[in-house]
Amino acid sequence: MEIADKWFAIVNPVAGSGRGLTDWPLISRLLRERHIVPEYVFTERKYHAIELAVEAVNNGFRKIIVVGGDGTIHEVVNGLFIQKTVPTTDVLLSVIAVGTGNDWIRMFGIPRKYSEAIRAIADGHSFLQDVGVISYYKASYKQSRYMANVAGVGFDAFVNRKYNHLKEEGKKGKWLYLWSTLKAVLRYSSTGVKVYVDDELVVNDLVYSATIGIGRYNGGGMLQTPEAVADDGLFDLTVIRKMSRLAVLLHFKVLFNGRIYKLRKTSLNRGRRIRIESSPEIAVEVDGEALGYSPFEFEIIDRAVRVVVAERFLSESAGASSGSPAPETNRPSTN
């Protein structure tokens, strides 16, 4: 078998409170039962998955399995763009989720159950998804990163930093994100923000949060961009203007039930380029990773990464595209 036909697995041993390590023997056995015998490497530090993805492609691998969470997927996607050996679309990326949030797989119908996720890999149904590139500032220097799923600005990034801080302290459990969110509700204040979509000023107001989505899910199942389409060449931008703490708590469930645009304070825009300015500066998180501070610029890259998806996702996507019109750029919510 040529190396291009072999799988290379990047395994994050600390993902999911250590499930990456403890469950790898089971995952490896299930892969072998499907006649998938990958070479594999465990990540040893933050950003190691980026390096491993670059090395894998440079060494001839064209099929990569991520055994980790959303952060590991984020790193591997960035590695695909750093390598210059082949176009990013020449590499097939698959995921066996062992993380905590696992938001990326929700979009594409990949099951949490290992045997079913591996079945999807064996079936080989693939999809070319869009990728975003974001520029931001850190330590006064402009930097950039690629995003595979969802970015959050303002309140979302504040929650993310609280959550990551708890994890760094060794805290574990599904309650962490909810606890971080509730703490953030009590402490976070809206910020003066200007938002430009395809060079048009669409928001100039006090903003509580802004969510930029290629995918639909973030924060462990939140639906803040519930209508996002992963290959339409557009970001979905959800902006929630200033809200009282009581209003946030009363309407908290709309973050999970897909009815976020029912809120009077919420608007939806779509576009290929987004610029966000603020005073004072605000933070951003991308795919669950805390990055830097405003101003931010987002730009879409059409159908840039080939990913393994569930067969039912392709069926549902085909049905949706045949039965509904293409989304309009800068289409605002009517609410």
Side-chain angles (χ1 to χ4, degrees):
M1 180 184 292
E2 294 186 6
I3 196 166
D5 296 320
K6 295 185 65 175
W7 287 96
F8 184 84
I10 297 174
V11 185
N12 184 346
V14 301
S17 301
R19 281 198 303 273
L21 178 62
T22 58
D23 291 359
W24 173 245
L26 169 61
I27 293 168
S28 180
R29 177 174 63 79
L30 293 171
L31 284 166
R32 290 195 302 272
E33 289 176 359
R34 288 281 181 175
H35 307 291
I36 300 170
V37 185
E39 291 192 24
Y40 66 92
V41 177
F42 290 103
T43 61
E44 299 174 357
R45 58 190 177 275
K46 193 173 180 65
Y47 305 133
H48 193 198
I50 297 177
E51 301 170 26
L52 293 175
V54 173
E55 291 175 9
V57 175
N58 288 344
N59 289 335
F61 289 96
R62 300 294 178 262
K63 297 179 178 181
I64 295 177
I65 300 173
V66 174
V67 182
D70 293 314
T72 316
I73 298 167
H74 172 81
E75 291 190 18
V76 170
V77 166
N78 275 267
L80 294 184
F81 279 91
I82 290 173
Q83 65 79 31
K84 301 302 178 186
T85 303
V86 296
T88 56
T89 51
D90 283 5
V91 182
L92 180 62
L93 181 64
S94 63
V95 177
I96 301 171
V98 298
T100 304
N102 297 318
D103 289 302
W104 183 91
I105 65 165
R106 299 174 199 263
M107 178 70 179
F108 298 110
I110 301 296
R112 285 287 303 273
K113 188 176 181 180
Y114 298 148
S115 60
E116 294 301 310
I118 292 167
R119 178 182 178 181
I121 295 173
D123 289 345
H125 298 291
S126 67
F127 175 86
L128 280 170
Q129 73 154 88
D130 297 335
V131 170
V133 59
I134 170 181
S135 66
Y136 57 94
Y137 284 82
K138 189 170 184 179
S140 300
Y141 290 96
K142 189 175 183 179
Q143 301 185 32
S144 64
R145 192 77 69 86
Y146 296 91
M147 60 177 276
N149 187 29
V150 176
V153 171
F155 176 76
D156 294 8
F158 192 84
V159 172
N160 177 263
R161 277 168 167 72
K162 294 287 184 187
Y163 173 67
N164 285 333
H165 182 68
L166 289 174
K167 288 203 302 182
E168 288 167 3
E169 289 182 339
K171 304 291 195 305
K172 299 179 181 180
K174 293 183 178 180
W175 60 270
L176 283 182
Y177 202 90
L178 179 60
W179 176 246
S180 302
T181 301
L182 293 175
K183 286 180 67 176
V185 168
L186 298 176
R187 298 183 183 182
Y188 186 74
S189 298
S190 300
T191 307
V193 170
K194 289 183 178 180
V195 181
Y196 298 84
V197 178
D198 292 335
D199 301 321
E200 177 185 348
L201 180 64
V202 298
V203 175
N204 184 7
D205 207 342
L206 288 172
V207 168
Y208 193 72
S209 79
T211 308
I212 301 93
I214 291 168
R216 295 176 181 173
Y217 298 90
N218 69 309
M222 291 184 181
L223 275 165
Q224 292 180 270
T225 51
E227 299 175 10
V229 177
D231 67 341
D232 64 353
L234 301 170
F235 293 111
D236 271 31
L237 167 68
T238 302
V239 174
I240 303 177
R241 288 165 171 79
K242 182 180 179 181
M243 296 179 68
S244 68
R245 291 179 174 86
L246 179 59
V248 173
L249 291 171
L250 289 175
H251 297 289
F252 192 68
K253 65 181 180 181
V254 304
L255 298 178
F256 293 90
N257 63 15
R259 303 183 67 185
I260 193 168
Y261 301 127
K262 297 294 183 182
L263 284 179
R264 182 174 58 86
K265 296 281 189 176
T266 305
S267 63
L268 165 66
N269 290 86
R270 291 188 172 101
R272 294 184 59 82
R273 296 183 310 281
I274 296 171
R275 178 173 174 82
I276 298 177
E277 302 170 355
S278 68
S279 181
E281 65 181 15
I282 51 177
V284 65
E285 60 87 10
V286 174
D287 299 338
E289 298 295 302
L291 296 185
Y293 296 88
S294 54
F296 313 115
E297 294 179 356
F298 296 81
E299 188 166 348
I300 205 81
I301 306 174
D302 296 307
R303 296 165 62 85
V305 173
R306 184 174 295 280
V307 297
V308 170
V309 299
E311 183 177 10
R312 65 181 178 86
F313 168 79
L314 294 179
S315 301
E316 291 168 1
S317 298
S321 62
S322 63
S324 57
E328 302 171 19
T329 303
N330 296 350
R331 188 186 76 192
S333 168
T334 56
N335 298 294

